[in-house]
Amino acid sequence: MKKILVVGLGLIGGSLAMALRGFEDFEVVGAVRSQATHDKAEAMGAADRLTFDPAAELPGADVVVLCQDPAGIIAFLEEHRDRFKPGCLVWDVCGVKTAVMEAAKCLPDGVDFIGCHPMAGKEVSGIANAEGTLFRNTHFIVTPGPYAAAEHLELLRRMADHCRFGDVIVTTPERHDQMIAYTSQLMHVIAVSVCADEGLFSCKGFEGGSFRDCTRVAALDPAMWTQLFTLNAPALSQVLEGLEGRLRQYRQVIQSGDRETLSALLAQASGRKKQIDLERARGDDVRPSF
Amino acid sequence: MKKILVVGLGLIGGSLAMALRGFEDFEVVGAVRSQATHDKAEAMGAADRLTFDPAAELPGADVVVLCQDPAGIIAFLEEHRDRFKPGCLVWDVCGVKTAVMEAAKCLPDGVDFIGCHPMAGKEVSGIANAEGTLFRNTHFIVTPGPYAAAEHLELLRRMADHCRFGDVIVTTPERHDQMIAYTSQLMHVIAVSVCADEGLFSCKGFEGGSFRDCTRVAALDPAMWTQLFTLNAPALSQVLEGLEGRLRQYRQVIQSGDRETLSALLAQASGRKKQIDLERARGDDVRPSF
């Protein structure tokens, strides 16, 4: 029997371990650090087997999935670089890819690191919130280095299928980080910025769906998102600056009372949104998987 | 039998007509302008009866619900001011209240206008998207003038119950407009500003739930939102300016690499969000109804 070692059973790692159970002839071993996580994971049946000692499992692991935060992943790679099984596949799940791919260069030849990012999540964290169904119909983004083995890409695709991801997107780490600055990191900065408004606690009773939806992800983990934002500072700063400019433009047009310009701006932006919703409904956004 | 006249069977008017059917001993009459809306409303059973001639119905209507856009409501009040039944209750559903309450001063004494705002909606419009269940567990905001009849407030409360609103919030038009600038209008400006980013069409495959949630309402009706934003320009400009400042602060801290300050900002904002989610879960935000 082959072995998948999932390191870190938080929301994503715990959900992945559950989703990967029963994958081909692999045993899924979950590495935890705390007794509380161990006991919860055991009660949930999150993995075939649990361990407090990932170092002891590494030499026998055919696939290693690193599910810590970026700093935890980078530290793990450096600490355990010589324990990985030759020929194994190592992948991670964190939200920045250039920095992690760079850190993975410390691995010896023959250990194949492929950056991954499951575009799934919740506004709550920890094994208690993990679900094996978390990844259904979400994007699985893969950023292989130039020397990634074809058999490992194929193995990843089969694992993604088993977890019921909606599609597999293959791209470069740089493009991933650029896109994610816009589609994910910017949404989180918006959410916390809205929640920092002094009106937050006095607006109860006046919220509709748009407010709940926009602010949902503000309940984030500050330590992890500090890492994610900092490790992607140039791309994130750029999209933030763009948004600031467009908000300023709306404010100035609204203040000036220029209804014609306001209406034209709204027509253009809402038209773009309707267009992309239409393309999505038609399935135009299905990406080729590898 | 008494009569409720619902003027304008779009998304909100159509949904309200459906939700109000069967209310006490009232007949629900829906006033439409186009044959297409008439036929769709008839097929959906949106009202007990339909008419193209609201002017003919007004003298016999005990309750009139104005469901046009703000300009349409204001024009209707001016055009039909002398046709309302003495002692009747008139309410509207639009998203700005000060301007509409001001316009309603043209009504003769004895016609009781109470501003209302059901905090429900969809990113699509029209009778075809209307549903009698649209208002369930949403807020029904009511802004009575200083001389509103107690019996009419009580009648509104019973109608809100019948439509299954989650609660009824009574406030002033000014406070409504201030709060709504933050909880609703700002969310719409954010959504269209995000969708105006040049990255919108190239980011397919990289969106997660936060992106879909934040941009959902960008598919708005430009003409209606031009009115709503313009009629509430001072309050909206103020919250926009606040958001611009906080986004700029995040960008500068991220660019500077000051992880400590970034982490502190994120901890504060996410703590506020977690706090308000907790209060909501405990039911602390239930407002006294009148």
Side-chain angles (χ1 to χ4, degrees):
Chain A
M1 197 165 208
K2 286 182 274 186
K3 180 162 78 183
I4 299 174
L5 177 65
V6 179
V7 183
L9 297 190
L11 174 70
I12 300 296
S15 298
L16 264 179
M18 284 186 233
L20 285 168
R21 285 193 71 178
F23 174 64
E24 297 180 0
D25 56 341
F26 285 85
E27 178 192 27
V28 176
V29 180
V32 297
R33 283 191 305 188
S34 77
Q35 190 66 46
T37 301
H38 175 279
D39 295 350
K40 186 72 189 167
E42 189 169 55
M44 294 169 80
D48 296 315
R49 186 160 60 77
L50 296 167
T51 178
F52 286 101
D53 189 3
E57 301 286 340
L58 279 177
D62 304 280
V63 176
V64 181
V65 191
L66 301 178
C67 302
Q68 307 99 313
D69 63 14
I73 291 168
I74 292 168
F76 190 94
L77 289 169
E78 283 164 5
E79 183 182 348
H80 298 291
R81 48 183 289 181
D82 296 320
R83 293 196 178 91
F84 289 92
K85 181 176 178 176
C88 76
L89 165 65
V90 185
W91 54 284
D92 79 309
V93 301
C94 87
V96 287
K97 295 273 70 83
T98 311
V100 171
M101 295 292 287
E102 189 60 31
K105 288 184 178 162
C106 76
L107 294 173
D109 286 352
V111 173
D112 200 3
F113 184 92
I114 299 183
C116 296
H117 184 188
M119 290 296 294
K122 288 187 186 181
E123 61 277 22
V124 287
S125 59
I127 181 77
N129 295 297
E131 291 180 64
T133 54
L134 186 66
F135 309 105
R136 296 202 176 172
N137 292 318
T138 65
H139 303 299
F140 187 56
I141 308 178
V142 179
T143 64
Y147 307 111
E151 65 182 299
H152 284 152
L153 288 170
E154 179 54 28
L155 176 58
L156 264 180
R157 193 195 55 71
R158 298 201 307 276
M159 285 191 273
D161 277 353
H162 189 79
C163 295
R164 308 275 291 271
F165 281 96
D167 53 16
V168 177
I169 314 287
V170 182
T171 188
T172 62
E174 294 75 20
R175 181 167 152 79
H176 167 276
D177 288 359
Q178 187 73 47
M179 291 293 110
I180 246 54
Y182 173 51
T183 60
S184 171
Q185 298 191 334
L186 183 63
M187 301 305 109
H188 288 75
V189 179
I190 289 170
V192 288
S193 296
V194 168
C195 286
D197 188 292
E198 59 180 18
L200 182 70
F201 288 97
S202 53
C203 79
K204 285 184 200 169
F206 295 90
E207 331 88 292
S210 60
F211 191 78
R212 283 188 294 269
D213 284 355
C214 177
T215 58
R216 180 177 57 83
V217 294
L220 48 74
D221 176 340
M224 190 177 77
W225 286 91
T226 296
Q227 292 182 31
L228 292 170
F229 292 164
T230 309
L231 290 170
N232 201 22
L236 178 55
S237 301
Q238 200 188 331
V239 293
L240 268 169
E241 202 162 354
L243 179 66
E244 287 167 53
R246 287 190 297 279
L247 291 174
R248 191 182 321 116
Q249 185 186 20
Y250 270 109
R251 178 170 53 82
Q252 288 167 348
V253 171
I254 289 165
Q255 282 175 322
S256 76
D258 179 357
R259 289 178 181 224
E260 203 170 323
T261 303
L262 177 56
S263 177
L265 283 172
L266 291 175
Q268 189 186 30
S270 66
R272 289 164 63 86
K273 171 64 173 159
K274 286 166 192 167
Q275 172 69 19
I276 206 162
D277 285 349
L278 199 68
E279 292 179 12
R280 194 168 289 124
R282 282 198 312 239
D284 289 2
D285 66 337
V286 175
R287 291 269 158 155
S289 62
F290 58 86
Chain B
M1 198 165 206
K2 287 182 273 185
K3 179 162 78 181
I4 299 174
L5 177 65
V6 179
V7 182
L9 296 191
L11 173 70
I12 300 296
S15 298
L16 263 180
M18 284 186 232
L20 284 168
R21 285 193 71 177
F23 174 66
E24 298 180 359
D25 56 339
F26 284 85
E27 177 191 30
V28 176
V29 180
V32 297
R33 283 192 303 188
S34 77
Q35 189 67 45
T37 300
H38 175 277
D39 294 351
K40 185 73 190 165
E42 189 169 56
M44 294 169 79
D48 295 315
R49 186 160 60 76
L50 296 167
T51 178
F52 286 101
D53 189 3
E57 302 286 339
L58 279 177
D62 304 279
V63 175
V64 180
V65 191
L66 301 178
C67 301
Q68 307 100 312
D69 63 13
I73 291 168
I74 292 168
F76 190 95
L77 288 169
E78 282 164 5
E79 184 182 349
H80 299 289
R81 48 184 287 182
D82 296 321
R83 291 195 180 92
F84 290 91
K85 181 176 176 177
C88 76
L89 165 65
V90 185
W91 54 285
D92 79 310
V93 301
C94 86
V96 286
K97 295 273 73 84
T98 312
V100 171
M101 294 292 287
E102 190 59 34
K105 288 183 178 163
C106 76
L107 294 172
D109 286 351
V111 174
D112 199 2
F113 184 90
I114 298 183
C116 296
H117 184 189
M119 289 297 292
K122 288 186 186 182
E123 60 277 23
V124 287
S125 59
I127 182 77
N129 295 296
E131 291 178 65
T133 55
L134 186 66
F135 309 105
R136 295 201 176 173
N137 292 317
T138 66
H139 302 298
F140 187 57
I141 308 178
V142 179
T143 63
Y147 307 111
E151 65 183 299
H152 284 151
L153 287 171
E154 179 55 30
L155 176 59
L156 264 179
R157 193 196 57 69
R158 297 202 308 276
M159 285 190 273
D161 277 352
H162 188 78
C163 295
R164 307 276 290 271
F165 280 96
D167 53 16
V168 177
I169 314 286
V170 183
T171 188
T172 62
E174 294 75 21
R175 181 167 151 80
H176 167 277
D177 288 359
Q178 187 72 46
M179 291 292 110
I180 244 56
Y182 173 52
T183 59
S184 171
Q185 298 191 332
L186 183 62
M187 302 304 108
H188 287 74
V189 178
I190 289 171
V192 288
S193 297
V194 168
C195 286
D197 188 293
E198 59 180 19
L200 182 71
F201 287 97
S202 53
C203 80
K204 284 184 200 169
F206 295 89
E207 330 88 292
S210 60
F211 191 78
R212 283 187 294 269
D213 283 355
C214 177
T215 58
R216 181 176 57 82
V217 294
L220 47 73
D221 176 340
M224 189 177 76
W225 286 91
T226 296
Q227 292 182 31
L228 292 171
F229 292 164
T230 308
L231 289 170
N232 201 22
L236 178 55
S237 302
Q238 199 187 332
V239 293
L240 267 168
E241 201 162 357
L243 179 66
E244 288 167 52
R246 287 190 298 279
L247 291 173
R248 191 182 322 117
Q249 184 185 22
Y250 270 109
R251 178 170 52 81
Q252 288 167 347
V253 171
I254 289 165
Q255 282 174 323
S256 76
D258 179 356
R259 289 179 181 224
E260 203 169 323
T261 303
L262 178 56
S263 176
L265 284 172
L266 291 174
Q268 190 185 30
S270 65
R272 288 164 64 86
K273 172 63 173 159
K274 287 166 192 168
Q275 172 69 20
I276 207 162
D277 285 350
L278 198 69
E279 291 179 13
R280 194 169 290 126
R282 283 199 310 238
D284 289 3
D285 66 335
V286 174
R287 291 270 158 155
S289 62
F290 57 86

